[in-house]
Amino acid sequence: MAAYQQIVNFKKSRVIQTYILLAFLGFITSFVPKESCPLAILNEILALLAVPMFLVFLGRHKHASKRYFSLLSFVMMIEMAIFFVEPILRIFYGSIFFWIEIVVLIFLGIVSYRIAENVALGFIKPGSKFGLIIYAVCGAIIGLGAIVYRITLGAEVPDAFPIAIILYLFSLMFLFICPIMLIRPARVEELSQGDNKHKGVN
């Protein structure tokens, strides 16, 4: 039986553990830069909504562990990206920088989905040109974080700057990486064996 065809039962599915992690992170980020009960409730609802999705994935892919855990990781990363970007958006809400950050998130999300297979190949073969692209993108994200830090020096809640910026960088990283979780394990095997023909994320 192929590695990605191992059976996953509920005990091994990590549904509960992942929900607890998302609920915790959603609650914590609702306190940056200051506590917000409505945001905390919204984040807890988002974390809870992930559970039925995990159960659907488990029902459809319980005989294919790699596919199941890839989909679980995709949803987890998307929600973590949402939670982690909230603090910086709250700091800049009502300013032009708020919309700049929204545009950056949308752009990165679209681009990362379009180049998902190339990103996956970069992780499989770090020394390849795609691996170098990953390093370049990560460097660009870090550079963007430095720019955001400079911009936030004039904000009203300086104590929240370091945390908000670090979370923002993690959010960008998750958005950049998560589309590769949608690639089927069989396609990943093809990429690792040198088949670079584009077949899309499915």
Side-chain angles (χ1 to χ4, degrees), residues 2 14 81 83 113 130 155 170 202:
R14 301 178 188 170
F83 296 154
Y113 182 85
F130 299 117
F170 273 111
N202 49 62

Side-chain angles (χ1 to χ4, degrees), residues 13-14 18 21-22 50 53-54 57 65-81 174-175 177-182:
S13 66
R14 301 178 188 170
T18 306
L21 173 64
L22 292 175
M53 297 178 67
F54 296 156
F57 297 155
S65 59
K66 280 193 174 181
R67 182 60 172 167
Y68 165 74
F69 284 116
S70 292
L71 294 175
L72 180 142
S73 297
F74 174 78
V75 174
M76 180 182 70
M77 287 185 182
I78 288 293
E79 292 214 359
M80 289 175 68
F174 287 140
L175 284 177
I177 295 173
C178 71
I180 70 176
M181 298 299 171
L182 296 178

